[in-house]
Short mmCIF file of all heavy atoms in Angstrom, two decimals:
data_model
loop_
_atom_site.label_atom_id
_atom_site.label_comp_id
_atom_site.label_asym_id
_atom_site.label_seq_id
_atom_site.Cartn_x
_atom_site.Cartn_y
_atom_site.Cartn_z
N PRO A 1 5.93 6.55 2.50
CA PRO A 1 7.28 6.39 3.09
C PRO A 1 7.69 7.57 4.05
O PRO A 1 8.61 7.25 4.82
CB PRO A 1 8.11 6.36 1.81
CG PRO A 1 7.26 5.80 0.79
CD PRO A 1 5.92 6.48 1.06
N TYR A 2 7.02 8.67 3.92
CA TYR A 2 7.41 9.78 4.90
C TYR A 2 7.13 9.40 6.35
O TYR A 2 7.81 9.84 7.25
CB TYR A 2 6.64 11.02 4.58
CG TYR A 2 5.38 11.21 5.03
CD1 TYR A 2 5.09 11.84 6.28
CD2 TYR A 2 4.20 10.66 4.37
CE1 TYR A 2 3.79 11.93 6.78
CE2 TYR A 2 2.96 10.85 4.88
CZ TYR A 2 2.75 11.35 6.09
OH TYR A 2 1.48 11.47 6.63
N LYS A 3 6.16 8.54 6.53
CA LYS A 3 5.90 8.09 7.94
C LYS A 3 6.92 7.25 8.54
O LYS A 3 7.14 7.42 9.84
CB LYS A 3 4.54 7.43 7.91
CG LYS A 3 3.27 8.19 7.68
CD LYS A 3 2.06 7.38 7.80
CE LYS A 3 0.75 8.36 7.70
NZ LYS A 3 -0.50 7.46 7.76
N LYS A 4 7.59 6.43 7.71
CA LYS A 4 8.65 5.61 8.35
C LYS A 4 9.57 5.21 7.23
O LYS A 4 9.51 4.24 6.56
CB LYS A 4 7.98 4.30 8.89
CG LYS A 4 8.96 3.48 9.70
CD LYS A 4 8.14 2.34 10.47
CE LYS A 4 9.17 1.53 11.33
NZ LYS A 4 8.38 0.33 11.96
N PRO A 5 10.55 6.15 6.97
CA PRO A 5 11.43 5.97 5.71
C PRO A 5 12.21 4.71 5.66
O PRO A 5 12.52 4.19 4.63
CB PRO A 5 12.47 7.24 5.89
CG PRO A 5 11.65 8.20 6.75
CD PRO A 5 10.91 7.35 7.72
N GLU A 6 12.54 4.06 6.78
CA GLU A 6 13.34 2.91 6.79
C GLU A 6 12.54 1.55 6.41
O GLU A 6 13.03 0.51 6.20
CB GLU A 6 13.98 2.68 8.10
CG GLU A 6 13.06 2.32 9.24
CD GLU A 6 12.43 3.54 9.97
OE1 GLU A 6 12.56 4.64 9.32
OE2 GLU A 6 11.75 3.41 11.02
N ALA A 7 11.10 1.69 6.36
CA ALA A 7 10.22 0.46 6.11
C ALA A 7 10.21 0.22 4.62
O ALA A 7 10.45 1.11 3.75
CB ALA A 7 8.89 0.82 6.64
N ASP A 8 9.80 -1.00 4.28
CA ASP A 8 9.75 -1.37 2.88
C ASP A 8 8.31 -1.16 2.51
O ASP A 8 7.40 -2.11 2.46
CB ASP A 8 10.02 -2.93 2.81
CG ASP A 8 10.17 -3.32 1.38
OD1 ASP A 8 9.57 -2.70 0.46
OD2 ASP A 8 10.66 -4.45 1.14
N TRP A 9 7.94 0.06 2.11
CA TRP A 9 6.58 0.39 1.71
C TRP A 9 6.10 -0.31 0.51
O TRP A 9 4.90 -0.54 0.27
CB TRP A 9 6.47 1.83 1.71
CG TRP A 9 6.36 2.53 2.93
CD1 TRP A 9 7.40 2.98 3.73
CD2 TRP A 9 5.14 2.76 3.75
NE1 TRP A 9 6.99 3.42 5.05
CE2 TRP A 9 5.56 3.23 5.03
CE3 TRP A 9 3.84 2.49 3.57
CZ2 TRP A 9 4.65 3.68 6.05
CZ3 TRP A 9 2.88 2.89 4.51
CH2 TRP A 9 3.36 3.46 5.71
N SER A 10 7.09 -0.48 -0.49
CA SER A 10 6.57 -1.19 -1.68
C SER A 10 6.15 -2.59 -1.40
O SER A 10 5.06 -3.05 -1.97
CB SER A 10 7.68 -1.23 -2.77
OG SER A 10 8.82 -1.99 -2.26
N ARG A 11 6.78 -3.29 -0.53
CA ARG A 11 6.33 -4.65 -0.20
C ARG A 11 4.97 -4.56 0.51
O ARG A 11 4.05 -5.44 0.27
CB ARG A 11 7.44 -5.32 0.63
CG ARG A 11 7.08 -6.75 1.06
CD ARG A 11 8.23 -7.30 1.84
NE ARG A 11 7.95 -8.67 2.27
CZ ARG A 11 8.74 -9.52 2.93
NH1 ARG A 11 10.02 -8.92 3.39
NH2 ARG A 11 8.48 -10.67 3.24
N LYS A 12 4.87 -3.73 1.52
CA LYS A 12 3.65 -3.57 2.26
C LYS A 12 2.51 -3.27 1.34
O LYS A 12 1.35 -3.86 1.40
CB LYS A 12 3.78 -2.47 3.30
CG LYS A 12 2.53 -2.17 4.12
CD LYS A 12 2.74 -1.04 5.21
CE LYS A 12 1.47 -0.71 5.93
NZ LYS A 12 0.44 -0.19 5.13
N ALA A 13 2.68 -2.32 0.45
CA ALA A 13 1.49 -1.95 -0.49
C ALA A 13 1.30 -3.02 -1.41
O ALA A 13 0.07 -3.26 -1.77
CB ALA A 13 1.93 -0.66 -1.26
N LEU A 14 2.20 -3.80 -1.79
CA LEU A 14 2.09 -4.87 -2.89
C LEU A 14 1.07 -5.95 -2.13
O LEU A 14 0.21 -6.47 -2.84
CB LEU A 14 3.31 -5.50 -3.25
CG LEU A 14 3.17 -6.46 -4.40
CD1 LEU A 14 2.77 -5.78 -5.61
CD2 LEU A 14 4.51 -7.27 -4.55
N ALA A 15 1.33 -6.16 -0.87
CA ALA A 15 0.50 -7.16 -0.17
C ALA A 15 -0.93 -6.67 -0.11
O ALA A 15 -1.91 -7.45 -0.19
CB ALA A 15 0.93 -7.38 1.24
N GLU A 16 -1.19 -5.37 0.01
CA GLU A 16 -2.53 -4.79 0.11
C GLU A 16 -3.25 -4.85 -1.32
O GLU A 16 -4.36 -4.98 -1.39
CB GLU A 16 -2.47 -3.45 0.71
CG GLU A 16 -2.10 -3.34 2.24
CD GLU A 16 -1.73 -2.02 2.78
OE1 GLU A 16 -1.49 -1.05 1.87
OE2 GLU A 16 -1.85 -1.80 3.96
N VAL A 17 -2.45 -4.68 -2.32
CA VAL A 17 -2.88 -4.79 -3.63
C VAL A 17 -3.42 -6.14 -3.87
O VAL A 17 -4.54 -6.41 -4.42
CB VAL A 17 -1.96 -4.36 -4.67
CG1 VAL A 17 -2.39 -4.66 -6.13
CG2 VAL A 17 -1.57 -2.85 -4.67
N ARG A 18 -2.56 -7.18 -3.52
CA ARG A 18 -2.91 -8.50 -3.63
C ARG A 18 -4.27 -8.85 -2.91
O ARG A 18 -5.10 -9.57 -3.43
CB ARG A 18 -1.83 -9.44 -3.04
CG ARG A 18 -2.09 -10.95 -3.19
CD ARG A 18 -0.84 -11.80 -2.70
NE ARG A 18 -1.14 -13.20 -2.75
CZ ARG A 18 -1.66 -13.87 -1.72
NH1 ARG A 18 -2.07 -13.22 -0.67
NH2 ARG A 18 -1.92 -15.14 -1.88
N GLU A 19 -4.38 -8.39 -1.72
CA GLU A 19 -5.47 -8.67 -0.92
C GLU A 19 -6.82 -8.08 -1.63
O GLU A 19 -7.89 -8.63 -1.66
CB GLU A 19 -5.42 -8.03 0.52
CG GLU A 19 -6.72 -8.20 1.46
CD GLU A 19 -6.58 -7.68 2.73
OE1 GLU A 19 -5.51 -7.10 3.04
OE2 GLU A 19 -7.57 -7.77 3.51
N ALA A 20 -6.68 -6.87 -2.13
CA ALA A 20 -7.74 -6.20 -2.89
C ALA A 20 -8.22 -7.02 -4.11
O ALA A 20 -9.48 -7.28 -4.31
CB ALA A 20 -7.43 -4.81 -3.29
N PHE A 21 -7.19 -7.52 -4.96
CA PHE A 21 -7.55 -8.32 -6.04
C PHE A 21 -8.16 -9.63 -5.68
O PHE A 21 -9.02 -10.05 -6.39
CB PHE A 21 -6.30 -8.43 -6.88
CG PHE A 21 -5.88 -7.08 -7.63
CD1 PHE A 21 -4.60 -7.07 -8.25
CD2 PHE A 21 -6.71 -5.99 -7.62
CE1 PHE A 21 -4.22 -5.84 -8.99
CE2 PHE A 21 -6.28 -4.87 -8.35
CZ PHE A 21 -5.15 -4.79 -8.94
N LEU A 22 -7.65 -10.21 -4.56
CA LEU A 22 -8.33 -11.43 -4.15
C LEU A 22 -9.72 -11.19 -3.81
O LEU A 22 -10.62 -12.12 -4.04
CB LEU A 22 -7.58 -12.02 -2.99
CG LEU A 22 -6.15 -12.65 -3.29
CD1 LEU A 22 -5.45 -12.98 -1.95
CD2 LEU A 22 -6.32 -13.90 -4.11
N LEU A 23 -10.19 -10.12 -3.34
CA LEU A 23 -11.51 -9.80 -2.92
C LEU A 23 -12.29 -9.19 -4.12
O LEU A 23 -13.35 -8.78 -3.88
CB LEU A 23 -11.52 -8.87 -1.75
CG LEU A 23 -10.96 -9.39 -0.45
CD1 LEU A 23 -10.85 -8.31 0.59
CD2 LEU A 23 -11.76 -10.56 0.09
N ARG A 24 -11.65 -9.20 -5.34
CA ARG A 24 -12.30 -8.64 -6.58
C ARG A 24 -12.68 -7.19 -6.31
O ARG A 24 -13.72 -6.80 -6.71
CB ARG A 24 -13.44 -9.59 -6.98
CG ARG A 24 -13.01 -10.98 -7.30
CD ARG A 24 -14.21 -11.82 -7.70
NE ARG A 24 -14.67 -11.38 -9.04
CZ ARG A 24 -14.02 -11.58 -10.16
NH1 ARG A 24 -12.88 -12.30 -10.30
NH2 ARG A 24 -14.53 -11.15 -11.43
N ARG A 25 -11.77 -6.46 -5.83
CA ARG A 25 -12.00 -4.99 -5.58
C ARG A 25 -10.86 -4.23 -6.18
O ARG A 25 -9.77 -4.77 -6.40
CB ARG A 25 -12.11 -4.70 -4.05
CG ARG A 25 -13.30 -5.29 -3.39
CD ARG A 25 -13.25 -5.10 -1.90
NE ARG A 25 -14.40 -5.66 -1.15
CZ ARG A 25 -14.47 -5.94 0.10
NH1 ARG A 25 -13.49 -5.72 0.83
NH2 ARG A 25 -15.56 -6.48 0.58
N PRO A 26 -11.12 -2.93 -6.58
CA PRO A 26 -10.08 -2.23 -7.07
C PRO A 26 -9.09 -1.84 -6.00
O PRO A 26 -9.48 -1.61 -4.75
CB PRO A 26 -10.80 -0.85 -7.62
CG PRO A 26 -12.04 -0.85 -6.83
CD PRO A 26 -12.38 -2.30 -6.57
N ALA A 27 -7.85 -1.77 -6.37
CA ALA A 27 -6.84 -1.41 -5.40
C ALA A 27 -6.59 0.10 -5.49
O ALA A 27 -6.11 0.56 -6.55
CB ALA A 27 -5.51 -2.16 -5.67
N VAL A 28 -7.02 0.83 -4.50
CA VAL A 28 -6.94 2.26 -4.56
C VAL A 28 -5.72 2.77 -3.54
O VAL A 28 -5.85 2.67 -2.38
CB VAL A 28 -8.26 2.95 -3.98
CG1 VAL A 28 -8.14 4.40 -4.14
CG2 VAL A 28 -9.45 2.42 -4.83
N ILE A 29 -4.73 3.22 -4.28
CA ILE A 29 -3.44 3.48 -3.54
C ILE A 29 -3.47 4.95 -3.01
O ILE A 29 -3.70 5.87 -3.69
CB ILE A 29 -2.17 3.33 -4.43
CG1 ILE A 29 -2.24 1.85 -4.97
CG2 ILE A 29 -0.98 3.66 -3.67
CD1 ILE A 29 -1.10 1.59 -6.01
N CYS A 30 -3.31 5.12 -1.69
CA CYS A 30 -3.22 6.38 -1.01
C CYS A 30 -1.71 6.80 -0.83
O CYS A 30 -0.98 6.00 -0.24
CB CYS A 30 -4.00 6.33 0.24
SG CYS A 30 -3.86 7.80 1.27
N SER A 31 -1.48 7.97 -1.32
CA SER A 31 -0.13 8.51 -1.10
C SER A 31 -0.17 9.94 -1.15
O SER A 31 -0.96 10.57 -1.85
CB SER A 31 0.84 8.03 -2.23
OG SER A 31 2.21 8.22 -1.94
N HIS A 32 0.62 10.65 -0.23
CA HIS A 32 0.52 12.17 -0.20
C HIS A 32 1.71 12.85 -0.85
O HIS A 32 2.77 12.32 -0.96
CB HIS A 32 0.36 12.48 1.21
CG HIS A 32 -0.92 12.26 1.87
ND1 HIS A 32 -1.47 11.02 2.11
CD2 HIS A 32 -2.06 13.13 2.00
CE1 HIS A 32 -2.68 11.03 2.60
NE2 HIS A 32 -3.06 12.45 2.53
N ARG A 33 1.58 14.09 -1.22
CA ARG A 33 2.56 14.93 -1.79
C ARG A 33 3.86 14.85 -0.99
O ARG A 33 4.95 14.90 -1.70
CB ARG A 33 1.93 16.27 -2.10
CG ARG A 33 2.93 17.26 -2.65
CD ARG A 33 2.26 18.71 -2.75
NE ARG A 33 3.11 19.71 -3.33
CZ ARG A 33 4.02 20.36 -2.61
NH1 ARG A 33 4.21 20.18 -1.34
NH2 ARG A 33 4.77 21.19 -3.25
N ILE A 34 3.67 14.97 0.35
CA ILE A 34 4.86 15.06 1.12
C ILE A 34 5.89 13.91 0.75
O ILE A 34 7.13 14.04 1.02
CB ILE A 34 4.48 14.98 2.61
CG1 ILE A 34 5.70 15.37 3.51
CG2 ILE A 34 3.90 13.62 3.04
CD1 ILE A 34 5.38 15.45 4.94
#
């Protein structure tokens, strides 16, 4: 969220989790301390 605070990052990340699971891969979430 630090990159673009006004964006809906939870929705964006959820879509990427869904894609990972559809491909039968672990969803590895990248987030930084900032």
Side-chain angles (χ1 to χ4, degrees):
Y2 82 95
K3 289 185 175 181
K4 194 174 181 181
E6 68 277 10
D8 189 344
W9 282 88
S10 61
R11 182 177 179 180
K12 176 181 178 295
L14 190 68
E16 292 171 337
V17 171
R18 179 177 178 274
E19 180 181 357
F21 287 171
L22 284 172
L23 295 172
R24 300 184 64 80
R25 293 174 182 164
V28 182
I29 301 174
C30 174
S31 191
H32 284 77
R33 177 182 181 272
I34 190 173

